[in-house]
Amino acid sequence: MGKKVKTESLDLLFEAILCLKDKEECYTFFEDICTVNELLSITQRFEVAKMLREQKTYLEIAEKTGASTATISRVNRSLNYGNDGYDMVFERMNK
C-alpha cells in the first residue's frame, strides 16, 4: 500500500476489522461505518474481480453486476498491476 494511504487512522480501522469474529459482526460494524452505497460499491468491485478471475467478458460482468466498463477496467488493472490483494483473498477463500 502506498505511503499516501498508510496512516495511523487506517491502521486503527484495520485493527478494528481484524477484531470481528463472524459475518454477523461484520454486518453490524460495516452497516454502521459505511453507507449502503459504499457497501454496494465495494461488493460490486469484489464481484467484478471474481468474475475477471473466472475469465468472464466485460459484457458478461457488466450485465451481471451493473458495473461500468470504467469500473471493470479499474478492477482489472488492480488484478494485473496491483498488490495481489485480491488473489491472496481468493486463494484463502478457496481453501
Side-chain angles (χ1 to χ4, degrees), residues 36-90:
V36 171
N37 285 338
E38 288 167 337
L39 283 173
L40 292 175
S41 292
I42 292 167
T43 302
Q44 183 185 64
R45 287 193 296 271
F46 192 73
E47 187 173 12
V48 166
K50 182 178 178 292
M51 292 181 74
L52 284 167
R53 279 294 177 241
E54 293 169 349
Q55 305 295 309
K56 303 292 185 196
T57 67
Y58 275 36
L59 181 60
E60 290 173 306
I61 295 168
E63 286 176 352
K64 182 164 191 297
T65 67
S68 68
T69 55
T71 296
I72 298 168
S73 271
R74 263 194 311 275
V75 172
N76 196 40
R77 192 168 42 253
S78 291
L79 285 169
N80 291 318
Y81 305 108
N83 296 316
D84 297 325
Y86 282 115
D87 289 333
M88 174 182 60
V89 168
F90 291 143

Side-chain angles (χ1 to χ4, degrees), residues 20-39:
L20 301 172
K21 295 178 183 156
D22 56 31
K23 285 183 195 176
E24 275 309 309
E25 287 189 2
C26 287
Y27 275 102
T28 300
F29 181 71
F30 280 96
E31 286 176 3
D32 280 352
I33 200 166
C34 296
T35 66
V36 171
N37 285 338
E38 288 167 337
L39 283 173

